Amino acid sequence: MNSKNIKQWVLLAGICLALLSSCNKQPEKALAPGEIWPDNNGMHINAHGGGILHHNNTFYWYGEHKIEGEIGNTAQVGVHVYSSKNLYDWVDEGIALKVDEDEKSDIARGCILERPKVIFNKKTGKFVMWFHLELKDMGYDAARSGVAVAEKPEGPFTFIRSMRPNAGHWPVNVQDYHLKPVHDSIKPTYCGGKGCLPAHPDTLNLLGRDYTNGQMARDMNLFVDDDGTAYHIYSSEDNSTLHISQLTDDYLSHSGKFARFFADRYMEAPAIFKTSGGTYYLIASDCTGWAPNAARSARAKSIWGPWEELGNPSIGPDADLTFHSQSTYVLPVPGEQDKFIYMGDRWKPENPIDGRYIWLPIQLKNGYFEIEWKDNWNVNSAWKNN
Ligand code: DGJ
């Protein structure tokens, strides 16, 4: 074979290889917010109001198991858990915490069990789940927190107890007027589509009212700081005010140290994340039931504040409705510096099982953060500074 023929063969082989490798190339995996997200069995993932634990190189996604029809807004099954190695392919690991068939249980089937979150306690080696609990047939009046524990991330979780946090404790930023008697004569002042909301919480002194029996706790999240200290963040004082409460070392109780922020701002769906520079960020929502609204955001140099409220971090079409979603968790991308994923729910209260998941990259920007809509996106290429 002469050198001209050799060159032709090499060229041909190169073209064949390029063609072959392009044919074999797997399409890049993608997250498609708002679409059906099938699990390993082809079923739409059923983990609403959820959060993620990253443990031993595996992601565990815990969320509310919903069923069809409006009854699905109550807990008929429990907390569902899925596992994944890559955030795209999810394996159904079953029900991590089951509702109780005993009518007398705090978590009796038919209660409302929302926004479950799980953290791992390095000292005890246990997995600890907290959730918002409303006792059966009491609507949203109970405003309690539930705690459960497991030996393995998949569960089974054992329910320990429910409570209203911080009974008999004042927040670190209590004001003099909280210590005075409750103003019983003051009635709710704002009555809209959702019923009557209380007057300004400081005028009503809901904090003082609940000092003895514990503070109301509805929408909630957990945050574990770099030093292992865990915090429970929840909408309190009839949703009007956020509380940030330090948990005990075993994560099973409130330590009694807590602070209140954003009084009268009616923030729900709180989620906290922290950058490598030490800034704490908060994303939350307004308080409009299942209907979407414009997200809220804030930042602080210490978890104990002061917290500075920023604006709605959503940008682009439907930003004023947070892309028809409400925050549920912020996931730091493991092994990456300052890459975070917004996790939100697109609720379907008329058929809750069909609720969709809106996950989007969070872009940090000069002391702020932004969330921009994407039809589909990949964790390896989504950040502007990849
Ligand atoms: C808004 C909350 O964010 C949800 O978790 C749920 O409690 C609904 N309200 C109920 O209306």
Side-chain angles (χ1 to χ4, degrees):
M1 206 182 292
N2 62 31
S3 70
K4 194 174 165 204
N5 281 347
I6 290 173
K7 271 189 198 150
Q8 279 172 344
W9 274 108
V10 169
L11 189 64
L12 200 61
I15 290 169
C16 286
L17 272 175
L19 278 174
L20 269 176
S21 72
S22 77
C23 289
N24 284 338
K25 210 173 183 181
Q26 297 289 319
E28 200 181 39
K29 288 187 186 286
L31 290 166
E35 301 296 322
I36 291 283
W37 285 14
D39 66 9
N40 59 314
N41 300 315
M43 303 293 289
H44 180 49
I45 291 173
N46 198 337
H48 309 267
I52 287 187
L53 168 74
H54 185 245
H55 186 76
N56 284 349
N57 295 319
T58 305
F59 297 98
Y60 294 92
W61 177 359
Y62 303 86
E64 306 158 33
H65 179 105
K66 305 271 198 187
I67 65 166
E68 281 180 9
E70 285 185 15
I71 194 177
N73 294 311
T74 61
Q76 299 293 322
V77 177
V79 176
H80 211 133
V81 58
Y82 296 81
S83 68
S84 173
K85 293 285 182 197
N86 58 11
L87 294 174
Y88 307 101
D89 304 304
W90 291 94
V91 174
D92 183 355
E93 301 284 357
I95 303 301
L97 174 69
K98 289 192 174 122
V99 294
D100 202 326
E101 292 307 321
D102 178 356
E103 281 276 317
K104 293 196 203 76
S105 164
D106 283 6
I107 58 163
R109 185 158 56 80
C111 69
I112 293 173
L113 195 167
E114 292 181 340
R115 300 184 176 272
K117 304 289 178 292
V118 173
I119 50 181
F120 176 64
N121 188 297
K122 285 187 186 150
K123 288 184 183 152
T124 63
K126 306 248 192 259
F127 297 85
V128 180
M129 178 189 290
W130 283 85
F131 50 88
H132 166 202
L133 177 70
E134 298 292 348
L135 303 175
K136 190 175 175 186
D137 298 329
M138 284 183 60
Y140 279 85
D141 288 347
R144 296 175 79 81
S145 304
V147 60
V149 73
E151 302 290 334
K152 293 185 295 164
E154 304 87 356
F157 280 78
T158 306
F159 175 64
I160 302 177
R161 65 185 182 287
S162 81
M163 81 298 289
R164 277 194 170 185
N166 293 312
H169 295 277
W170 291 112
V172 291
N173 54 357
V174 67
Q175 303 293 314
D176 282 348
Y177 49 78
H178 291 128
L179 307 173
K180 292 184 186 139
V182 177
H183 304 249
D184 279 338
S185 56
I186 299 168
K187 296 280 176 271
T189 53
Y190 168 74
C191 293
K194 292 172 287 171
C196 294
L197 294 171
H200 190 287
D202 284 348
T203 325
L204 275 177
N205 194 5
L206 301 178
L207 184 83
R209 181 196 68 187
D210 292 337
Y211 170 80
T212 309
N213 294 324
Q215 300 297 324
M216 300 175 84
R218 294 201 182 107
D219 277 14
M220 57 141 278
N221 227 312
L222 299 176
F223 171 74
V224 181
D225 212 335
D226 305 329
D227 63 358
T229 308
Y231 300 88
H232 183 204
I233 304 108
Y234 48 89
S235 306
S236 192
E237 302 178 42
D238 235 340
N239 291 341
S240 65
T241 304
L242 270 192
H243 287 190
I244 299 181
S245 186
Q246 187 174 324
L247 296 179
T248 49
D249 282 355
D250 60 8
Y251 299 170
L252 298 177
S253 312
H254 295 93
S255 67
K257 180 176 181 185
F258 74 110
R260 55 196 297 275
F261 298 104
F262 312 110
D264 208 31
R265 289 292 290 144
Y266 284 87
M267 290 196 186
E268 288 193 311
I272 285 180
F273 58 103
K274 186 185 183 185
T275 65
S276 57
T279 302
Y280 297 82
Y281 285 99
L282 168 86
I283 183 162
S285 73
D286 195 357
C287 183
T288 56
W290 297 112
N293 52 55
R296 309 280 182 79
S297 69
R299 70 181 165 202
K301 278 288 172 198
S302 159
I303 196 145
W304 298 114
W307 281 89
E308 178 194 358
E309 193 170 339
L310 307 169
N312 175 4
S314 322
I315 51 170
D318 289 331
D320 54 338
L321 295 177
T322 320
F323 321 111
H324 299 268
S325 75
Q326 186 185 31
S327 41
T328 184
Y329 194 67
V330 171
L331 175 68
V333 179
E336 299 281 350
Q337 187 170 299
D338 294 336
K339 292 185 181 170
F340 301 92
I341 297 175
Y342 164 82
M343 291 172 54
D345 291 287
R346 184 173 288 173
W347 303 111
K348 299 269 180 78
E350 64 296 340
N351 190 26
I353 193 174
D354 191 34
R356 306 296 172 90
Y357 308 107
I358 309 299
W359 292 11
L360 291 165
I362 290 177
Q363 305 283 351
L364 295 178
K365 217 175 172 182
N366 309 324
Y368 296 84
F369 68 94
E370 285 180 350
I371 306 172
E372 193 174 1
W373 176 260
K374 291 180 186 306
D375 288 340
N376 54 65
W377 61 283
N378 181 284
V379 178
N380 293 325
S381 53
W383 280 268
K384 293 188 177 132
N385 56 353
N386 273 315

